[in-house]
Each structure stands twice: as C-alpha cells, then as structure tokens.
Amino acid sequence: MTFLTEEELDVLLSAPARSTWTGRRDHALLRLAAQTGLRASELIGLHCADIHLGSGAHVSCIGKGRKQRITPLTSNMAAVLRVWLAERAGQPADPSSLHRPAG
C-alpha cells in the first residue's frame, strides 16, 4: 500500500485555485478525502445531508459492500465543510460536490 507524504499532500491541497468555485470545491473534496480516507465513489456519492457538522461532526456514506460507514471529522475539516456547504447552498438531498447549485 502506498500513501502520500505530508509534503506531497500539502502540494496536492495547494493545487486547486481557491479563487474559483471549482477550486474551492476541489480543495474541500481533496481535504475530505485525505482526512477520512473515503474512496472516490464514496465522495461523489455524498449528499449534503450526509455531512453532519454539529457536535460529533462526521460524514455518513454507504461504502464498499454496501455497508454504512461513519467517519469522524476533525474540527478543521468541519470548518472547511461548513464554509463549502454555505457557498454550495444545497438542499439536504442534493449532491454535496458535483454540481453548481441552480439559480
């Protein structure tokens, strides 16, 4: 099994241009993937309602083998997602990441 070094991860996380909507989305998704270890299919399957940012912040998803997976979030990751979801302005059933909100 291979992994990214801390330096490689820092470079990857700094790559998206956070001055753009897609860059902010990509940065949030990359940080979420790095912090939680979610698979790409799990990330793109997330809905806004799957991200819980209150006490005991976590992400809930259906993982490999159709098993429910609950992954805790650090306070820093919860803060990034709070900002992203506010900008995203999606409804609970909306995809959390893939599409720009209507309007």
Side-chain angles (χ1 to χ4, degrees):
M1 180 176 282
T2 60
F3 59 92
L4 296 175
T5 65
E6 190 171 332
E7 182 179 303
E8 291 168 331
L9 183 58
D10 289 343
V11 169
L12 181 64
L13 293 175
S14 67
R18 288 186 247 169
S19 60
T20 68
W21 187 89
T22 54
R24 290 187 296 277
R25 176 203 59 196
D26 293 351
H27 176 77
L29 285 174
L30 287 169
R31 275 190 74 160
L32 183 62
Q35 197 252 292
T36 62
L38 291 176
R39 295 173 180 87
S41 61
E42 294 167 339
L43 283 168
I44 63 172
L46 286 178
H47 292 87
C48 293
D50 297 327
I51 301 170
H52 308 274
L53 298 175
S55 179
H58 65 277
V59 173
S60 175
C61 70
I62 302 300
K64 192 173 180 179
R66 300 185 58 81
K67 294 180 183 176
Q68 184 174 17
R69 187 171 173 198
I70 307 284
T71 307
L73 298 172
T74 64
S75 58
N76 288 340
M77 186 69 247
V80 167
L81 289 174
R82 200 170 280 113
V83 169
W84 167 247
L85 291 175
E87 179 175 0
R88 170 70 183 78
Q91 297 299 310
D94 289 347
S96 63
S97 60
L98 297 179
H99 306 285
R100 184 180 294 271

